Amino acid sequence: MALNVVATTKPIPEPDEASQPFFDGARAGKLMLMRCAECGEFRMPARMHCDACLATATEWVEASGRGTVRTFGVMHQKYHAGFLEETPYNLAVVELEEGPRLVTNIVETANAAIAVGMPVTVAFTDYEDVSLPKFRPA
Amino acid sequence: MAHPMRGATAITGLGMTPMGRIFGKSATELAADAVKLAIADAGLRKDQIDGLLTNAGVTNAIGLNMQNYLGMKDLRLLNHMNAAGSTAAQMVQYAALAINAGMANHVVCVFADNPLSGGSGSGAAYAGAARAPGRPKGMAGLYTAAGYFGANTGYALAARRHMALYGTTQDQLGIIAVGQRAWATKSPIAQMRQPITLEDYHNSRWIIEPLHLLDCCLVSNGAVAVIVSSATAAKSMPQPPAYIWGMGQGHPGDPQRAGWDQETETGGNLAGKTAYAMAGVGPADVSQCQLYDCYTYTVLVTLEDYGFCGKGEGGPFVEDGKLGPGGALPTNTGGGELSGYYMWGMTPLSEAIIQTRGQGGERQAKNDVVLCTGNGGTLAYHGALILSPHAT
Ligand SMILES: [Zn+2]
């Protein structure tokens, strides 16, 4: 669920046509995934063609929000002004129990407490006009 | 029966400009300098070159227009190629195939880049999305929103997963950096020639954990060109031929879902299998390695995927310092991209040619079978060459 509104100059994405249901879902506290209506494989990121069968028919399903940390890093390099205050910050790849992987941040825990394989659950962060899925320890 | 491509072609020319913080020339001018040097090195006239393959670095500043800049008339082979850091090996492969098919006689392959400008730091050119204007679009923007910037990020994530799965340690990554720097002290063309210790490695600042500064490659301006010819022609050319025994590619793909493991199981495995089969050798026959080393971790995982040790055993494999001077498997003998110079896939390729010719001077290692690898993207694109000073 949405926790807090973060004022930011971070490079926060805006929806495109293919990803609109993902962003609509996130704003409502739901993690939505695009799935192939022909073969059932997930598409990450949302896009026209299924990478398994090349079909274009799609459906959107709500994910459980549960996953595990596949890998993570702690960034010290100052690449972007929007991240200066929180550097060093973590970023992670979370593999959802449905299979797709998301690049995200682990919230509500210390960087030193993050571990590969750690179970996590989705926790949305609200920005000005979009919400994005982050993950916290399950 | 030997593979028909084994020893059919050879690298006959090498041209290298000064590399590093070299200013005052465009990428096109650097490329032309390298081509001129390579043609002279091969003992050819410019009008004997009938093939040109180009590859631009991160600045994407050279392309098909090199033909006209170089004044090359009636080329029989021309392309601008891009498979990131695997391109250098790939250019040689396509050149060798074309030559063997009778489509060209002497093909020059050139890479040039000038990401450094006088006032900027090394990282700026490779910051990637951090420099993009405006808001990112769609789900691809999840990367930047999370603070995923530049190649450093992808390789840190890959290294972390290897460490978690297999117990690979920071010391083991550091030993690779220390060994390559030891090689660089013996190379007059290396950018970083001050020896480092494991303590220096640990004390170097974090870029993104688990990567220290000394886990990461240099950024360089410069250009390198190589010439590929038939083995028959090579025998009467001035330089000792670097015969091409084996070639292979491997590109695993990564659709970002369960079941794909590009971070720890790279296309080097597939590239290696194809190249070893063509050359009729295996990892036990390899005298030395010139491996694409954008990061220390790239070396470690590449050694696993080319069969020098089992999957996950790269850390213990390198731990005794066998890659460094005096070690059992001399690797990146010019200092590599970590300590020598960063010309993408031309870094391992140029040193492989120098070593295969026996022109390594103080750093010359045994060279009967030289494995040269290229890697691009985040462990996404792989090309391999096996070179030898022996025709058969
Ligand atoms: Zn499908």
Side-chain angles (χ1 to χ4, degrees), chain A residues 74-100:
Chain A
V74 177
M75 179 68 85
H76 291 250
Q77 187 84 339
K78 294 175 173 64
Y79 280 115
H80 193 288
F83 291 86
L84 290 186
E85 279 182 19
E86 58 207 77
T87 301
Y89 62 89
N90 77 73
L91 70 159
V93 177
V94 165
E95 185 167 298
L96 303 174
E97 65 179 13
E98 293 84 1

mmCIF file of all heavy atoms in Angstrom, chain A residues 74-100:
data_model
loop_
_atom_site.group_PDB
_atom_site.id
_atom_site.type_symbol
_atom_site.label_atom_id
_atom_site.label_comp_id
_atom_site.label_asym_id
_atom_site.label_seq_id
_atom_site.Cartn_x
_atom_site.Cartn_y
_atom_site.Cartn_z
ATOM 1 N N VAL A 74 25.001 -1.681 -3.482
ATOM 2 C CA VAL A 74 24.887 -0.449 -2.695
ATOM 3 C C VAL A 74 25.716 0.620 -3.413
ATOM 4 O O VAL A 74 26.949 0.526 -3.492
ATOM 5 C CB VAL A 74 25.367 -0.652 -1.247
ATOM 6 C CG1 VAL A 74 25.301 0.672 -0.482
ATOM 7 C CG2 VAL A 74 24.518 -1.714 -0.559
ATOM 8 N N MET A 75 25.003 1.597 -3.947
ATOM 9 C CA MET A 75 25.633 2.595 -4.811
ATOM 10 C C MET A 75 26.284 3.710 -4.001
ATOM 11 O O MET A 75 25.632 4.333 -3.161
ATOM 12 C CB MET A 75 24.571 3.190 -5.752
ATOM 13 C CG MET A 75 25.100 4.260 -6.690
ATOM 14 S SD MET A 75 26.239 3.601 -7.927
ATOM 15 C CE MET A 75 25.035 3.068 -9.168
ATOM 16 N N HIS A 76 27.566 3.931 -4.272
ATOM 17 C CA HIS A 76 28.286 5.034 -3.634
ATOM 18 C C HIS A 76 28.587 6.154 -4.625
ATOM 19 O O HIS A 76 28.794 7.294 -4.223
ATOM 20 C CB HIS A 76 29.611 4.540 -3.038
ATOM 21 C CG HIS A 76 29.430 3.647 -1.854
ATOM 22 N ND1 HIS A 76 29.751 4.014 -0.578
ATOM 23 C CD2 HIS A 76 28.943 2.377 -1.761
ATOM 24 C CE1 HIS A 76 29.478 3.017 0.262
ATOM 25 N NE2 HIS A 76 29.000 2.016 -0.432
ATOM 26 N N GLN A 77 28.672 5.803 -5.899
ATOM 27 C CA GLN A 77 29.023 6.791 -6.927
ATOM 28 C C GLN A 77 27.882 7.804 -7.059
ATOM 29 O O GLN A 77 26.714 7.430 -7.029
ATOM 30 C CB GLN A 77 29.243 6.063 -8.258
ATOM 31 C CG GLN A 77 29.774 6.938 -9.366
ATOM 32 C CD GLN A 77 31.278 7.071 -9.323
ATOM 33 O OE1 GLN A 77 31.904 6.845 -8.291
ATOM 34 N NE2 GLN A 77 31.864 7.461 -10.431
ATOM 35 N N LYS A 78 28.247 9.074 -7.224
ATOM 36 C CA LYS A 78 27.215 10.126 -7.315
ATOM 37 C C LYS A 78 26.929 10.411 -8.786
ATOM 38 O O LYS A 78 27.573 11.244 -9.406
ATOM 39 C CB LYS A 78 27.698 11.373 -6.580
ATOM 40 C CG LYS A 78 27.845 11.136 -5.065
ATOM 41 C CD LYS A 78 28.434 12.350 -4.366
ATOM 42 C CE LYS A 78 28.422 12.164 -2.842
ATOM 43 N NZ LYS A 78 29.287 11.053 -2.391
ATOM 44 N N TYR A 79 25.954 9.691 -9.308
ATOM 45 C CA TYR A 79 25.626 9.834 -10.729
ATOM 46 C C TYR A 79 24.570 10.901 -10.976
ATOM 47 O O TYR A 79 24.521 11.502 -12.034
ATOM 48 C CB TYR A 79 25.074 8.514 -11.275
ATOM 49 C CG TYR A 79 26.121 7.481 -11.612
ATOM 50 C CD1 TYR A 79 26.197 6.288 -10.913
ATOM 51 C CD2 TYR A 79 27.014 7.701 -12.650
ATOM 52 C CE1 TYR A 79 27.129 5.335 -11.229
ATOM 53 C CE2 TYR A 79 27.957 6.754 -12.978
ATOM 54 C CZ TYR A 79 28.015 5.575 -12.264
ATOM 55 O OH TYR A 79 28.939 4.634 -12.582
ATOM 56 N N HIS A 80 23.642 11.063 -10.026
ATOM 57 C CA HIS A 80 22.448 11.846 -10.310
ATOM 58 C C HIS A 80 22.052 12.644 -9.070
ATOM 59 O O HIS A 80 21.993 12.094 -7.963
ATOM 60 C CB HIS A 80 21.310 10.898 -10.714
ATOM 61 C CG HIS A 80 20.142 11.596 -11.316
ATOM 62 N ND1 HIS A 80 19.285 12.374 -10.571
ATOM 63 C CD2 HIS A 80 19.684 11.639 -12.590
ATOM 64 C CE1 HIS A 80 18.341 12.859 -11.364
ATOM 65 N NE2 HIS A 80 18.563 12.440 -12.591
ATOM 66 N N ALA A 81 21.764 13.921 -9.267
ATOM 67 C CA ALA A 81 21.474 14.810 -8.128
ATOM 68 C C ALA A 81 20.313 14.303 -7.283
ATOM 69 O O ALA A 81 20.280 14.511 -6.068
ATOM 70 C CB ALA A 81 21.176 16.211 -8.650
ATOM 71 N N GLY A 82 19.364 13.620 -7.921
ATOM 72 C CA GLY A 82 18.184 13.156 -7.198
ATOM 73 C C GLY A 82 18.475 12.109 -6.136
ATOM 74 O O GLY A 82 17.611 11.820 -5.307
ATOM 75 N N PHE A 83 19.685 11.552 -6.157
ATOM 76 C CA PHE A 83 20.014 10.483 -5.211
ATOM 77 C C PHE A 83 21.044 10.902 -4.171
ATOM 78 O O PHE A 83 21.429 10.094 -3.328
ATOM 79 C CB PHE A 83 20.539 9.258 -5.974
ATOM 80 C CG PHE A 83 19.488 8.575 -6.794
ATOM 81 C CD1 PHE A 83 19.210 8.998 -8.090
ATOM 82 C CD2 PHE A 83 18.750 7.521 -6.271
ATOM 83 C CE1 PHE A 83 18.227 8.385 -8.855
ATOM 84 C CE2 PHE A 83 17.774 6.906 -7.025
ATOM 85 C CZ PHE A 83 17.507 7.336 -8.315
ATOM 86 N N LEU A 84 21.504 12.157 -4.241
ATOM 87 C CA LEU A 84 22.636 12.549 -3.392
ATOM 88 C C LEU A 84 22.347 12.351 -1.914
ATOM 89 O O LEU A 84 23.178 11.842 -1.168
ATOM 90 C CB LEU A 84 23.010 14.014 -3.659
ATOM 91 C CG LEU A 84 23.662 14.294 -5.018
ATOM 92 C CD1 LEU A 84 24.103 15.747 -5.099
ATOM 93 C CD2 LEU A 84 24.832 13.350 -5.267
ATOM 94 N N GLU A 85 21.150 12.743 -1.488
ATOM 95 C CA GLU A 85 20.848 12.729 -0.050
ATOM 96 C C GLU A 85 20.890 11.326 0.535
ATOM 97 O O GLU A 85 21.237 11.155 1.696
ATOM 98 C CB GLU A 85 19.466 13.341 0.212
ATOM 99 C CG GLU A 85 19.500 14.856 0.229
ATOM 100 C CD GLU A 85 18.143 15.454 0.533
ATOM 101 O OE1 GLU A 85 17.284 14.718 1.067
ATOM 102 O OE2 GLU A 85 17.945 16.639 0.206
ATOM 103 N N GLU A 86 20.530 10.333 -0.254
ATOM 104 C CA GLU A 86 20.441 8.984 0.299
ATOM 105 C C GLU A 86 21.641 8.107 -0.068
ATOM 106 O O GLU A 86 21.671 6.935 0.285
ATOM 107 C CB GLU A 86 19.140 8.311 -0.143
ATOM 108 C CG GLU A 86 18.988 8.218 -1.626
ATOM 109 C CD GLU A 86 17.515 8.179 -2.041
ATOM 110 O OE1 GLU A 86 16.857 9.234 -2.028
ATOM 111 O OE2 GLU A 86 17.057 7.086 -2.383
ATOM 112 N N THR A 87 22.630 8.654 -0.755
ATOM 113 C CA THR A 87 23.826 7.876 -1.102
ATOM 114 C C THR A 87 24.674 7.624 0.143
ATOM 115 O O THR A 87 24.887 8.575 0.908
ATOM 116 C CB THR A 87 24.646 8.644 -2.155
ATOM 117 O OG1 THR A 87 23.829 8.857 -3.308
ATOM 118 C CG2 THR A 87 25.889 7.864 -2.572
ATOM 119 N N PRO A 88 25.162 6.407 0.395
ATOM 120 C CA PRO A 88 24.984 5.217 -0.433
ATOM 121 C C PRO A 88 23.588 4.613 -0.278
ATOM 122 O O PRO A 88 23.077 4.504 0.823
ATOM 123 C CB PRO A 88 26.047 4.254 0.098
ATOM 124 C CG PRO A 88 26.280 4.678 1.521
ATOM 125 C CD PRO A 88 26.055 6.156 1.552
ATOM 126 N N TYR A 89 23.014 4.249 -1.426
ATOM 127 C CA TYR A 89 21.660 3.690 -1.423
ATOM 128 C C TYR A 89 21.686 2.297 -2.047
ATOM 129 O O TYR A 89 22.584 1.975 -2.831
ATOM 130 C CB TYR A 89 20.705 4.604 -2.192
ATOM 131 C CG TYR A 89 21.044 4.791 -3.654
ATOM 132 C CD1 TYR A 89 20.547 3.921 -4.625
ATOM 133 C CD2 TYR A 89 21.872 5.828 -4.073
ATOM 134 C CE1 TYR A 89 20.864 4.092 -5.971
ATOM 135 C CE2 TYR A 89 22.192 6.006 -5.417
ATOM 136 C CZ TYR A 89 21.685 5.138 -6.353
ATOM 137 O OH TYR A 89 22.006 5.295 -7.678
ATOM 138 N N ASN A 90 20.706 1.480 -1.705
ATOM 139 C CA ASN A 90 20.657 0.142 -2.297
ATOM 140 C C ASN A 90 19.794 0.132 -3.542
ATOM 141 O O ASN A 90 18.880 0.957 -3.690
ATOM 142 C CB ASN A 90 20.143 -0.882 -1.277
ATOM 143 C CG ASN A 90 18.643 -0.816 -1.091
ATOM 144 O OD1 ASN A 90 17.872 -1.232 -1.966
ATOM 145 N ND2 ASN A 90 18.194 -0.269 0.044
ATOM 146 N N LEU A 91 20.097 -0.760 -4.434
ATOM 147 C CA LEU A 91 19.164 -1.106 -5.504
ATOM 148 C C LEU A 91 19.231 -2.617 -5.661
ATOM 149 O O LEU A 91 20.243 -3.236 -5.314
ATOM 150 C CB LEU A 91 19.443 -0.379 -6.812
ATOM 151 C CG LEU A 91 20.671 -0.746 -7.594
ATOM 152 C CD1 LEU A 91 20.509 -0.315 -9.037
ATOM 153 C CD2 LEU A 91 21.886 -0.041 -7.015
ATOM 154 N N ALA A 92 18.150 -3.192 -6.127
ATOM 155 C CA ALA A 92 18.053 -4.649 -6.111
ATOM 156 C C ALA A 92 17.268 -5.140 -7.310
ATOM 157 O O ALA A 92 16.506 -4.401 -7.928
ATOM 158 C CB ALA A 92 17.356 -5.112 -4.823
ATOM 159 N N VAL A 93 17.494 -6.396 -7.649
ATOM 160 C CA VAL A 93 16.616 -7.102 -8.575
ATOM 161 C C VAL A 93 15.794 -8.071 -7.735
ATOM 162 O O VAL A 93 16.359 -8.922 -7.033
ATOM 163 C CB VAL A 93 17.412 -7.874 -9.646
ATOM 164 C CG1 VAL A 93 16.456 -8.652 -10.559
ATOM 165 C CG2 VAL A 93 18.276 -6.919 -10.454
ATOM 166 N N VAL A 94 14.481 -7.885 -7.782
ATOM 167 C CA VAL A 94 13.582 -8.787 -7.061
ATOM 168 C C VAL A 94 12.914 -9.710 -8.076
ATOM 169 O O VAL A 94 12.379 -9.251 -9.089
ATOM 170 C CB VAL A 94 12.520 -8.001 -6.270
ATOM 171 C CG1 VAL A 94 11.380 -8.917 -5.817
ATOM 172 C CG2 VAL A 94 13.178 -7.323 -5.068
ATOM 173 N N GLU A 95 13.012 -10.999 -7.808
ATOM 174 C CA GLU A 95 12.305 -11.965 -8.649
ATOM 175 C C GLU A 95 10.970 -12.279 -7.987
ATOM 176 O O GLU A 95 10.922 -12.799 -6.863
ATOM 177 C CB GLU A 95 13.127 -13.241 -8.831
ATOM 178 C CG GLU A 95 12.459 -14.209 -9.817
ATOM 179 C CD GLU A 95 13.406 -15.318 -10.251
ATOM 180 O OE1 GLU A 95 14.448 -15.003 -10.854
ATOM 181 O OE2 GLU A 95 13.093 -16.488 -9.980
ATOM 182 N N LEU A 96 9.895 -11.929 -8.667
ATOM 183 C CA LEU A 96 8.555 -12.169 -8.136
ATOM 184 C C LEU A 96 8.255 -13.667 -8.138
ATOM 185 O O LEU A 96 8.813 -14.410 -8.943
ATOM 186 C CB LEU A 96 7.515 -11.436 -8.993
ATOM 187 C CG LEU A 96 7.735 -9.930 -9.119
ATOM 188 C CD1 LEU A 96 6.731 -9.337 -10.109
ATOM 189 C CD2 LEU A 96 7.624 -9.251 -7.757
ATOM 190 N N GLU A 97 7.369 -14.089 -7.279
ATOM 191 C CA GLU A 97 7.081 -15.534 -7.257
ATOM 192 C C GLU A 97 6.428 -15.978 -8.560
ATOM 193 O O GLU A 97 6.479 -17.151 -8.914
ATOM 194 C CB GLU A 97 6.254 -15.924 -6.025
ATOM 195 C CG GLU A 97 4.871 -15.356 -5.973
ATOM 196 C CD GLU A 97 4.124 -15.828 -4.713
ATOM 197 O OE1 GLU A 97 4.750 -16.381 -3.803
ATOM 198 O OE2 GLU A 97 2.900 -15.623 -4.671
ATOM 199 N N GLU A 98 5.865 -15.036 -9.320
ATOM 200 C CA GLU A 98 5.306 -15.374 -10.637
ATOM 201 C C GLU A 98 6.395 -15.509 -11.707
ATOM 202 O O GLU A 98 6.097 -15.957 -12.824
ATOM 203 C CB GLU A 98 4.309 -14.292 -11.074
ATOM 204 C CG GLU A 98 3.038 -14.222 -10.232
ATOM 205 C CD GLU A 98 3.197 -13.388 -8.958
ATOM 206 O OE1 GLU A 98 4.305 -12.855 -8.745
ATOM 207 O OE2 GLU A 98 2.224 -13.272 -8.190
ATOM 208 N N GLY A 99 7.640 -15.073 -11.407
ATOM 209 C CA GLY A 99 8.738 -15.237 -12.360
ATOM 210 C C GLY A 99 9.409 -13.967 -12.839
ATOM 211 O O GLY A 99 10.636 -13.925 -12.932
ATOM 212 N N PRO A 100 8.640 -12.914 -13.180
ATOM 213 C CA PRO A 100 9.302 -11.700 -13.681
ATOM 214 C C PRO A 100 10.227 -11.060 -12.641
ATOM 215 O O PRO A 100 10.025 -11.230 -11.435
ATOM 216 C CB PRO A 100 8.132 -10.767 -13.997
ATOM 217 C CG PRO A 100 6.975 -11.666 -14.235
ATOM 218 C CD PRO A 100 7.178 -12.829 -13.302
#
